[in-house]
Amino acid sequence: MPRPGSAQRWVAAAGRWGCWLLALLLVLLVTGPGCASEITFELPDNAKQCFYEDIAQGTKCTLEFQVITGGHYDVDCRLEDPDGKVLYKEMKKQYDSFTFTASKNGTYKFCFSNEFSTFTHKTVYFDFQVGEDPPLFPSENRVSALTQMESACVSIHEALKSVIDYQTHFRLREAQGRSRAEDLNTRVAYWSVGEALILLVVSIGQVFLLKSFFSDKRTTTTRVGS
Amino acid sequence: MVAELGMRIFGIRPGTGLVSTMRTLLLLLWFAARGSALYFHIGETEKKCFIEEIPDETMVIGNYRTQLYDKQREEYQPATPGLGMFVEVKDPEDKVILARQYGSEGRFTFTSHTPGEHQICLHSNSTKFSLFAGGMLRVHLDIQVGEHANDYAEIAAKDKLSELQLRVRQLVEQVEQIQKEQNYQRWREERFRQTSESTNQRVLWWSILQTLILVAIGVWQMRHLKSFFEAKKLV
């Protein structure tokens, strides 16, 4: 019959180990599957839009953003960790990509700000990748090694994912180019109409101004003459 | 005795860091079980719009979950069942293809029939203004497009595919999506080229017109001034 003291100590030790085992299990469970969010949204002028995500410690995350339409095609971006420490801060950027590893658990926040712009609203695209993509088989099959066919499939899958990623960026650049061209077209149209009006006003004004000079001079010459 | 042992194992002992660690870990487990997704805050009458530029015949699935700020408990609680979100989807021609109200947790699906920019707008349908009480609604949103929208577990079960067959099916779906996107790209480039050429034509005709106007005005000016000077007997 063991002494009550040693049993207590054994229970305490077992409790501590049990806790750490549970912790390890939870960490593995939580850092295993990840998620990717690709969102294109409209940011009105003088507005700030923030997004939040709960990330576990040790997860590798990537934030990529691109401005598609609006003004000078730039936006302020800011990424903060759960304690409010700024991990990434850039002003007036058109496109950027930032990779970081979460140093602590909690809610990470990233904000896009268009507060420096007075009347142009922007369309911003961002892609926030947290951890790895969830595996195709969420159940047990992770234990056995992959056959050659399966590893070939996995490498083709990864290659196709990067093709899709490049395609997305190409599509965004094309949208941006198209937006710039349409903006230019509008500006050229307004400028042409404005220039035509100015031309008419100036030419008619010139004629009448000139006529008015000669009318005054005429009366003075007659007075001088007589 | 067993209960006490259980309590001891799970470290329910005041005054140790284990309790706070356990709380954090249980919170994490709660997050993992709920499914981590991006979230943002939305005001009561605010409408948030998201744009998806997609080729035709592409399926889009959106999942959302709302939480309301509980002032008494000072944290976000799942919203009351009465509070729903109104989801409106417009196609590139501004025609509404989906306009439905969902509950506080919902899933909306649509398939595009024309390629282009589709707009997904969300706003809350709250009629009881006191429900928000000046706070914000937290919306967890997840939008999956095309191949990402496929549920492979369901496909494997339905078609009884082996692991290798499922992997190949995933590759086939990915390649199909790439193909659709490339087609859409070609169509867009063609439209862009047409727009550029029409702009070019317009600029050309406008320049010619402006030169003619300039010449005509010059001629008019000279004739008008000449007749004026002749009338004034200066010429």
Side-chain angles (χ1 to χ4, degrees), chain A residues 133-144:
Chain A
D133 275 342
L136 200 56
F137 298 96
S139 53
E140 354 64 55
N141 281 351
R142 298 287 90 223
V143 188
S144 57

Side-chain angles (χ1 to χ4, degrees), chain A:
Chain A
M1 176 77 180
R3 287 196 305 261
S6 71
Q8 254 188 351
R9 260 184 276 126
W10 182 85
V11 161
R16 221 170 290 133
W17 279 111
C19 260
W20 285 118
L21 198 66
L22 186 63
L24 188 67
L25 209 69
L26 283 171
V27 165
L28 283 172
L29 184 73
V30 166
T31 55
C35 83
S37 315
E38 247 186 16
I39 287 182
T40 312
F41 66 98
E42 260 190 37
L43 192 61
D45 47 303
N46 283 322
K48 185 173 167 178
Q49 178 71 40
C50 292
F51 293 90
Y52 309 81
E53 175 116 31
D54 303 314
I55 306 177
Q57 187 176 2
T59 316
K60 184 161 166 247
C61 311
T62 310
L63 173 67
E64 218 174 337
F65 67 92
Q66 192 169 358
V67 183
I68 307 174
T69 65
H72 290 288
Y73 304 91
D74 51 6
V75 76
D76 297 341
C77 178
R78 190 190 169 95
L79 175 67
E80 288 175 9
D81 76 351
D83 297 328
K85 190 180 88 167
V86 175
L87 295 173
Y88 170 82
K89 181 176 164 174
E90 284 287 342
M91 314 294 277
K92 299 199 179 176
K93 265 288 205 174
Q94 196 272 313
Y95 161 82
D96 208 0
S97 171
F98 177 67
T99 309
F100 66 100
T101 308
S103 54
K104 46 176 88 84
N105 299 314
T107 307
Y108 283 73
K109 164 176 149 174
F110 58 98
C111 298
F112 296 99
S113 162
N114 194 22
E115 281 152 345
F116 55 84
S117 168
T118 36
F119 49 78
T120 49
H121 60 256
K122 314 237 159 103
T123 311
V124 180
Y125 159 90
F126 73 85
D127 180 12
F128 193 54
Q129 177 95 23
V130 175
E132 294 296 318
D133 275 342
L136 200 56
F137 298 96
S139 53
E140 354 64 55
N141 281 351
R142 298 287 90 223
V143 188
S144 57
L146 298 169
T147 66
Q148 223 176 12
M149 281 289 279
E150 283 167 3
S151 20
C153 281
V154 166
S155 58
I156 295 175
H157 178 64
E158 293 296 320
L160 288 178
K161 266 205 294 197
S162 75
V163 168
I164 291 175
D165 193 35
Y166 283 131
Q167 241 182 3
T168 307
H169 284 292
F170 185 66
R171 168 172 60 84
L172 294 172
R173 281 209 198 279
E174 190 268 339
Q176 198 193 6
R178 195 163 17 102
S179 159
R180 271 193 219 256
E182 283 170 7
D183 195 28
L184 188 71
N185 184 27
T186 318
R187 270 190 286 164
V188 164
Y190 284 143
W191 171 252
S192 318
V193 167
E195 203 195 328
L197 282 171
I198 289 173
L199 197 69
L200 277 169
V201 163
V202 163
S203 52
I204 292 173
Q206 266 181 340
V207 168
F208 285 110
L209 194 66
L210 216 66
K211 278 165 73 164
S212 71
F213 285 157
F214 282 101
S215 313
D216 290 347
K217 221 175 174 174
R218 177 72 178 155
T219 48
T220 46
T221 43
T222 45
R223 244 184 277 132
V224 167
S226 61

Side-chain angles (χ1 to χ4, degrees), chain B residues 80-136:
Chain B
T80 57
L83 186 69
M85 296 289 280
F86 192 81
V87 177
E88 193 181 6
V89 179
K90 286 199 193 147
D91 76 349
E93 282 125 33
D94 267 341
K95 199 175 66 164
V96 176
I97 56 177
L98 178 75
R100 256 191 68 178
Q101 188 165 301
Y102 295 85
S104 61
E105 224 177 285
R107 181 192 164 101
F108 56 90
T109 310
F110 67 92
T111 306
S112 61
H113 296 293
T114 40
E117 277 189 8
H118 290 71
Q119 199 180 47
I120 302 167
C121 288
L122 290 139
H123 65 270
S124 70
N125 72 333
S126 90
T127 46
K128 304 182 214 109
F129 290 96
S130 60
L131 211 64
F132 272 64
M136 303 286 258

Side-chain angles (χ1 to χ4, degrees), chain B residues 134-158:
Chain B
M136 303 286 258
L137 189 68
R138 182 181 278 187
V139 182
H140 296 248
L141 184 67
D142 182 34
I143 301 178
Q144 303 289 338
V145 174
E147 183 263 330
H148 296 288
N150 285 340
D151 183 5
Y152 287 102
E154 195 189 309
I155 293 173
K158 195 174 72 146

